[in-house]
Amino acid sequence: MKTLREYKNKIHYSFFNSELFQQMEQQSKIIHDLWEEQRPNHHYDFPAHQLQRESADIIEIPLLKKENVEENARVFFERRTHSLAEFDCQWSEDELFKWMSLSFGVSGEKEIPYLNKNGEPAHKTLKLRTYPSGGSMLPIEIYLYLKDVEGIEEGLYKYHGDDHFIQRLKGKSSLEQLEELSPITNLDLEFPFSFKDTKILTFMVANYKWIFAKYGLLSKRLATIEAGHIGQNIQLAATILQKKSLPMCGFYEDKAEEFLEIDNRESSCIYMVALG
């Protein structure tokens, strides 16, 4: 077995080097002016389905059908991703708040003992969310652009989880401004898309200020996993409310962060979900 010293000799950087972390973050961003170099490849194959029955013991799993499960579990079968062109739902204030509560709202409280920066025993009462978070650090911040939601003034909002309210940060943006955020709405494509029927644009922003002190270079992985948990919740909650959703990786991070007016030295927009 390799010794700890042998492993340490292979590491030529500090795991808690914030400058290195910021450099890695900047290099992985999808930038508007570099889209031609970063865009997905149009020539590809899907993974081949290969099953080597002769080389392994197999236990076949009965195919579970929607009509054979409890009604409250059918949402897993009904979850779908829709294109922007399929958006045709209206949203009310009550539906918005219910969707938020299910997707990323507060689900309870928990007392957490820990050692503070000085090594002293401490404790904190954490407000738990409807999704898991590594070390309960909650690095993902939620921003929402709300448009044509009944009872809600159009504009950009930030969700404050511990206090469970949304704060309006700025007013109405033009459709052109919103469509500059993503290549699928910004480029002259064969099949153009638009945010014109989108009611909610969800931005998940990883705030590394607190999580990096605990997890160092693992912070990116943990924030990305957490955003994935929230994204699944968002789609399941939308399905329950009979709404439509589109998870989006294809957006310009520099444009999104400029739109949100966030400090990209400590934060990064890593996921978007459109709903309609």
Side-chain angles (χ1 to χ4, degrees):
M1 179 181 291
K2 292 183 181 295
T3 66
L4 180 60
R5 182 175 297 278
E6 286 178 304
Y7 279 114
K8 284 185 174 179
N9 288 338
K10 292 183 178 182
I11 299 176
H12 303 291
Y13 55 84
S14 168
F15 203 71
F16 293 91
N17 183 336
S18 59
E19 291 184 3
L20 174 63
F21 182 77
Q22 289 175 15
Q23 183 182 359
M24 293 166 62
E25 268 290 280
Q26 294 300 320
Q27 290 178 347
S28 66
K29 286 183 182 293
I30 296 176
I31 306 299
H32 175 269
D33 292 340
L34 298 178
W35 175 249
E36 287 303 319
E37 287 73 30
Q38 298 176 318
R39 66 185 304 161
N41 194 346
H42 291 303
H43 304 282
Y44 61 91
D45 291 313
F46 284 99
H49 175 67
Q50 295 179 330
L51 180 61
Q52 298 177 347
R53 289 182 175 270
E54 68 280 0
S55 63
D57 292 331
I58 292 173
I59 301 176
E60 293 201 8
I61 303 170
L63 185 62
L64 189 63
K65 296 183 178 180
K66 184 174 77 170
E67 55 268 22
N68 296 331
V69 300
E70 298 83 355
E71 188 172 350
N72 61 1
R74 293 179 183 176
V75 64
F76 293 99
F77 290 89
E78 295 167 352
R79 185 215 61 80
R80 293 290 182 274
T81 293
H82 296 85
S83 75
L84 296 177
E86 296 177 281
F87 285 7
D88 57 3
C89 302
Q90 302 302 313
W91 284 74
S92 68
E93 181 182 73
D94 287 344
E95 288 172 326
L96 169 69
F97 293 159
K98 184 175 183 179
W99 166 79
M100 292 175 62
S101 296
L102 293 172
S103 299
F104 42 80
V106 174
S107 61
E109 292 186 352
K110 185 177 182 179
E111 195 81 9
I112 302 288
Y114 69 101
L115 297 177
N116 64 22
K117 284 192 276 188
N118 299 321
E120 302 164 341
H123 68 275
K124 183 176 178 64
T125 301
L126 294 175
K127 293 191 176 180
L128 304 176
R129 304 296 196 269
T130 57
Y131 57 88
S133 177
S136 299
M137 298 303 288
L138 300 170
I140 297 299
E141 298 180 327
I142 306 289
Y143 292 77
L144 306 163
Y145 188 85
L146 304 177
K147 180 167 72 73
D148 297 329
V149 176
E150 182 184 349
I152 300 290
E153 191 173 357
E154 182 169 345
L156 178 66
Y157 293 78
K158 183 178 181 180
Y159 172 66
H160 293 268
D162 279 358
D163 301 300
H164 204 49
F165 65 76
I166 53 175
Q167 175 189 12
R168 191 165 185 256
L169 301 179
K170 60 182 180 182
K172 181 177 179 178
S173 297
S174 68
L175 182 60
E176 290 74 19
Q177 288 175 299
L178 298 177
E179 294 191 337
E180 287 178 356
L181 302 177
S182 169
I184 66 170
T185 55
N186 175 250
L187 298 180
D188 186 17
L189 302 175
E190 182 179 358
F191 303 103
F193 293 98
S194 173
F195 288 135
K196 63 183 178 65
D197 294 318
T198 298
K199 308 302 182 187
I200 304 169
L201 270 178
T202 310
F203 302 86
M204 293 182 229
V205 173
N207 186 333
Y208 300 114
K209 182 176 181 180
W210 300 109
I211 191 173
F212 188 84
K214 180 173 184 178
Y215 288 114
L217 298 182
L218 272 180
S219 301
K220 173 73 172 184
R221 180 189 298 182
L222 290 170
T224 303
I225 292 170
E226 183 169 316
H229 291 313
I230 298 171
Q232 178 76 343
N233 277 4
I234 284 174
Q235 284 208 291
L236 292 174
T239 302
I240 290 170
L241 296 170
Q242 298 183 320
K243 309 299 183 185
K244 297 177 179 178
S245 59
L246 173 66
M248 299 176 61
C249 172
F251 62 91
Y252 306 122
E253 292 173 58
D254 56 336
K255 293 287 187 181
E257 290 163 8
E258 180 182 341
F259 178 73
L260 299 173
E261 298 179 1
I262 62 174
D263 183 351
N264 62 14
R265 291 171 299 178
E266 293 184 341
S267 300
S268 178
C269 184
I270 61 174
Y271 201 3
M272 280 178 62
V273 183
L275 298 106

